[in-house]
Amino acid sequence: MADTKELKNEELSEEVSEAVNDELTEELPEDEAKSKGPKANWYVVHTYSGYENKVKANIEKTIENRHLEDEILEVRVPMQDVTEVKNGVRKTSAKKMFPGYVLINMIMNDVTWYVVRNTRGVTGFVGPGSKPVPLSDGEMKPLGIKTENVFINFTEGDTVNVIAGVWKDTVGVVQRMDMGKQTATIMVELFGRETPVEISFDEINKSNY
């Protein structure tokens, strides 16, 4: 008799658990559901010396031609300002932080690996035996790459309100989104003309109009 009672309790517990799981699944936001899929990571690619910008441009062109915007999110050649003094004159110029290397934020699969690996000027991914190894959060921070994602409720083409910062209370249309830098470029009116302005995701909210 006791065994029968315990069996019924187990069956009831399973039913309750399934019901709760079904309810949670139904309420799971679409954006969160998507995040359960393949995750994009930052990878380092080695290039021939002086080919960094060419590699970046070639990969970006391939992304556009093959419509890989959702798989290869950003290609970056990290730069830094370097100040030199020559003949008593101080001059500041932008120089590559890592000559011969390009950073790529991408979802690693057969297609993206092939596209990057076969780009002219690329000699391979950085990793043991040229096996791509993603950068850790600690390795990305010195490069100015944010590792904490900000929730966004807008996309390219949406009208948004700027809710903080210098451009607060400005309304504009999102022209481009940079997931690596977590910024959006919107068009604002400046001196009587439309001008593109880059604003952080956390300073923008989708307009209800």
Side-chain angles (χ1 to χ4, degrees), residues 25-80:
T25 300
E26 290 176 359
E27 294 179 354
L28 188 65
E30 184 179 351
D31 290 340
E32 188 174 340
K34 287 181 179 178
S35 68
K36 301 298 182 182
K39 179 185 176 183
N41 290 297
W42 284 93
Y43 296 89
V44 181
V45 171
H46 189 266
T47 72
Y48 289 120
S49 179
Y51 272 71
E52 300 89 353
N53 291 329
K54 292 180 181 179
V55 166
K56 179 178 184 294
N58 288 339
I59 293 177
E60 289 175 339
K61 186 175 182 180
T62 302
I63 292 172
E64 182 179 355
N65 291 340
R66 295 199 178 191
H67 305 291
L68 296 173
E69 292 85 354
D70 294 331
E71 296 177 79
I72 303 179
L73 307 182
E74 183 182 358
V75 185
R76 182 182 297 190
V77 178
M79 306 292 288
Q80 62 181 344

Side-chain angles (χ1 to χ4, degrees), residues 3 7 14 21 28 56 58 72 96 100 109 115 130 134 143 149 153 155 160-161 163-164 168 174 188 198 200:
D3 292 342
L7 182 60
E14 290 179 1
N21 286 335
L28 188 65
K56 179 178 184 294
N58 288 339
I72 303 179
K96 299 180 181 69
N109 56 41
V115 165
S130 293
L143 305 178
N149 292 320
N153 62 349
T155 187
V160 295
N161 295 317
I163 58 176
K168 184 178 179 181
V174 177
V188 301
E198 190 175 60
S200 176

Side-chain angles (χ1 to χ4, degrees), residues 15 77 156 171 194 199:
E15 289 178 1
V77 178
E156 293 181 7
V171 177
E194 290 287 303
I199 301 177

Side-chain angles (χ1 to χ4, degrees), residues 153-155 158-161 204-208:
N153 62 349
F154 54 85
T155 187
D158 285 344
T159 298
V160 295
N161 295 317
I204 302 174
N205 193 30
K206 184 176 180 180
S207 175
N208 296 322

Side-chain angles (χ1 to χ4, degrees), residues 127-180:
S130 293
K131 180 181 178 181
V133 175
L135 292 172
S136 66
D137 290 351
E139 291 170 325
M140 290 189 292
K141 286 180 181 178
L143 305 178
I145 299 173
K146 296 181 180 180
T147 58
E148 296 180 0
N149 292 320
V150 176
F151 174 76
I152 56 176
N153 62 349
F154 54 85
T155 187
E156 293 181 7
D158 285 344
T159 298
V160 295
N161 295 317
V162 181
I163 58 176
V166 177
W167 296 96
K168 184 178 179 181
D169 298 327
T170 299
V171 177
V173 176
V174 177
Q175 303 296 313
R176 190 174 72 86
M177 297 173 65
D178 189 321
M179 303 308 293

Side-chain angles (χ1 to χ4, degrees), residues 64-114:
E64 182 179 355
N65 291 340
R66 295 199 178 191
H67 305 291
L68 296 173
E69 292 85 354
D70 294 331
E71 296 177 79
I72 303 179
L73 307 182
E74 183 182 358
V75 185
R76 182 182 297 190
V77 178
M79 306 292 288
Q80 62 181 344
D81 289 334
V82 177
T83 301
E84 298 176 325
V85 178
K86 289 184 178 181
N87 300 323
V89 179
R90 183 183 298 270
K91 182 180 180 181
T92 301
S93 58
K95 292 190 176 182
K96 299 180 181 69
M97 293 178 66
F98 308 105
Y101 295 95
V102 172
L103 305 182
I104 304 180
N105 188 19
M106 59 185 277
I107 295 173
M108 182 62 68
N109 56 41
D110 291 343
V111 173
T112 56
W113 180 92
Y114 181 87

